[in-house]
Amino acid sequence: MFRTNIPLRARRCASAFALVSLLAVPAAAHDYKKGDLRIDHPWSRATPGGAKVAGGFMKITNAGKEADRLVGGSFEASGVVEIHEMKMDGGVMKMRALEKGLEIKPGQAVELKPGSYHVMFIELKRQLKEGESVKGELVFEKAGRVPVEYKIENLGAKSGSEHHGGHGAPKS
Amino acid sequence: MNTLKLVRLVAWGSIAVLTAAMLYLLLAPKPDGGSGVASIGGPFRLAAADGSVIDSEKLNGRPFALFFGFTNCPDVCPTSMLEITNDLTALGEITKDFRIYFITVDPARDTAALLKEYTGSFDPRIVGLVPKDEQELANVARAYRAIYRKVETPSGYTMDHTATIYLMDAQGQFFGTLDSKETPQVRQAKLRRLIAKG
């Protein structure tokens, strides 16, 4: 008994160390570049049980001289991806698919965020859990395909954790 | 007095009467008492996701909150349900018997089982209600002056819907609303007043 305990403890220690180093690396930077486009911190939220949709959020900056367009993408945990706009109109939530995609004008940044533009993940295959990362791809008219990883934040997150430096639903 | 004078008198008299009548119609108190508060809400009887039936007239004089939503809603529905869950948790014991009724505006896709799983991710005080058909949904939405509309998307459809949380008092009368833009302090003060009032 005693002899088997030591390697087990050592193994635990090693895996804990591996975990810490894994966590430390992606936190340093979470942005993607393709051509003139920079995509900052793609994130989504944990989903309630039974939910078949989720929104993907990020900031896209176009440093180039020409406009580009986010026209689609893919998400490992969902069957369909669309580009949507959500807005509140006199207490009524309205959501529309942007049939021509989302324009990113030259020299400008567009923020995809709750209550506004988002990548809509449809036909979710499973529940999204806080803390995980889910692979996906963004498709731009000119810049082409950009593989990204979405960080899954708290169900009530209003912005990605890199922007406000912490997790947390609005608790009081 | 000749005939012409009589005709003139009758004509002016009629105008005066009509004007007075119109003024009365415009300015008189409305039949609902003229309190200025539009009547929002009304009795409903809907199947709950747990298999029971919720009859608003048998809520034993308990105040409640009501929300129209659907599970294929990526943003406002989960956010609203999470916020009210946090509010109820913060208020503690006084909210023990308080209920939030989540009426799906998408009964075609939101089955009782799905809605139960969905609300179960938030708080046991949130009860999913599934109208059995379009008519039942239309009736309760009309009573609450809520709007819902099916909107086509490339892969299917989504729903526009009123995203207000209605607060109803123990008599089933409209008490107020909760809004995501309000601070938790403001929302919790309203809930505390509603529960204290009963």
Side-chain angles (χ1 to χ4, degrees), chain A residues 1-58:
Chain A
M1 266 318 262
F2 182 66
R3 272 197 300 184
T4 57
N5 258 346
I6 295 168
L8 183 65
R9 207 176 290 161
R11 237 182 301 151
R12 271 189 191 151
C13 195
S15 57
F17 183 77
L19 194 67
V20 165
S21 51
L22 265 178
L23 287 173
V25 174
H30 183 218
D31 61 327
Y32 303 88
K33 287 199 178 78
K34 179 86 190 276
D36 292 323
L37 295 184
R38 197 181 82 211
I39 296 127
D40 271 315
H41 191 51
W43 64 283
S44 184
R45 287 166 169 164
T47 54
K52 294 284 178 289
V53 295
F57 312 106
M58 70 203 76

Side-chain angles (χ1 to χ4, degrees), chain B:
Chain B
M1 191 189 282
N2 61 27
T3 319
L4 190 63
K5 261 190 179 164
L6 187 68
V7 169
R8 264 191 207 145
L9 205 66
V10 169
W12 282 113
S14 314
I15 288 167
V17 168
L18 281 172
T19 309
M22 275 177 67
L23 278 174
Y24 176 77
L25 284 176
L26 281 171
L27 302 174
K30 297 286 181 290
D32 67 1
S35 60
V37 178
S39 82
I40 293 176
F44 59 84
R45 193 170 182 281
L46 295 169
D50 63 3
S52 66
V53 172
I54 301 296
D55 184 338
S56 64
E57 302 205 303
K58 291 184 186 154
L59 291 175
N60 300 326
R62 282 193 299 224
F64 63 90
L66 190 137
F67 180 80
F68 291 90
F70 67 122
T71 67
N72 274 285
C73 168
D75 195 342
V76 68
C77 303
T79 303
S80 299
M81 290 305 100
L82 186 74
E83 283 172 356
I84 197 162
T85 294
N86 290 343
D87 292 336
L88 295 185
T89 306
L91 289 171
E93 183 65 16
I94 59 163
T95 61
K96 188 164 61 78
D97 294 326
F98 193 76
R99 294 288 176 275
I100 298 121
Y101 296 108
F102 182 113
I103 301 180
T104 176
V105 293
D106 188 13
R109 288 189 296 202
D110 286 345
T111 60
L114 186 62
L115 203 53
K116 189 162 183 275
E117 189 187 352
Y118 185 85
T119 59
S121 292
F122 298 98
D123 193 284
R125 287 165 289 198
I126 303 174
V127 179
L129 300 180
V130 188
K132 71 173 189 292
D133 53 29
E134 270 300 313
Q135 194 55 51
E136 224 176 53
L137 172 59
N139 288 344
V140 66
R142 195 181 311 117
Y144 280 87
R145 303 186 178 199
I147 291 165
Y148 63 96
R149 197 157 65 97
K150 198 167 168 172
V151 179
E152 304 292 326
T153 62
S155 65
Y157 70 88
T158 181
M159 302 294 297
D160 287 353
H161 63 96
T162 298
T164 303
I165 294 180
Y166 299 86
L167 300 177
M168 307 303 288
D169 70 14
Q171 284 73 48
Q173 300 294 310
F174 179 70
F175 178 82
T177 61
L178 294 183
D179 192 297
S180 267
K181 290 198 196 80
E182 294 163 340
T183 64
Q185 287 71 29
V186 168
R187 290 198 306 267
Q188 286 162 26
K190 286 186 189 175
L191 283 165
R192 198 180 287 116
R193 278 206 310 277
L194 172 63
I195 292 165
K197 178 185 181 234

